[in-house]
């Protein structure tokens, strides 16, 4: 529960961060040639866009975050405590009752 809450809070913090950097690398619309006051914007530049669309830098930050997480978890060299506990339990049962051999019916049979 604590992990889920902390992850939700962290993801909620990404929204203001991405909004703060949404215009990084985005150029302003080009003003029309021949207009002295610069009030005329090129309609094609508004429709098609000029430069990069908003949130492009945020998108690349998200890709970087996902890639870093994937590399971290793919190369994590931890111990599998649950697997070790199950293997220890299996060894104890084999020491106690002898090795278990699976039967054709799907249940384990003790070998005397």
């Amino acid at each position: 529960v604590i992990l889920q809450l902390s992850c939700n809070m962290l993801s909620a913090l990404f929204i203001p961060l991405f909004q703060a950097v949404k215009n990084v690398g985005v150029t302003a619309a080009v003003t029309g040639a021949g207009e002295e006051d610069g009030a005329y914007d090129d309609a094609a530049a508004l429709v098609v866009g000029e430069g990069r669309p908003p949130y492009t830098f945020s998108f690349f930050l998200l890709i970087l975050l996902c890639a870093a997480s994937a590399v971290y978890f793919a190369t994590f060299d931890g111990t599998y405590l649950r697997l070790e506990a199950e293997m220890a339990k299996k060894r104890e049962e084999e020491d106690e009752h002898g090795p278990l051999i699976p039967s054709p019916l799907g249940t384990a049979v003790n070998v005397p």
Side-chain angles (χ1 to χ4, degrees), residues 1-14:
V1 173
I2 294 173
L3 177 65
Q4 185 176 3
L5 287 175
S6 61
C7 289
N8 286 342
M9 292 298 288
L10 183 64
S11 67
L13 292 176
F14 283 132

Side-chain angles (χ1 to χ4, degrees), residues 82-102 108:
R82 170 98 186 211
L83 177 64
E84 289 178 2
E86 289 178 1
M87 296 298 283
K89 183 180 177 182
K90 185 177 178 181
R91 281 191 297 269
E92 287 175 8
E93 288 177 359
E94 286 180 355
D95 290 342
E96 210 173 276
H97 302 291
L100 298 175
I101 298 177

Side-chain angles (χ1 to χ4, degrees), residues 34-50:
E35 293 289 327
E36 291 80 19
D37 59 356
Y40 174 75
D41 287 334
D42 188 11
L46 292 176
V47 174
V48 177
E50 184 71 26

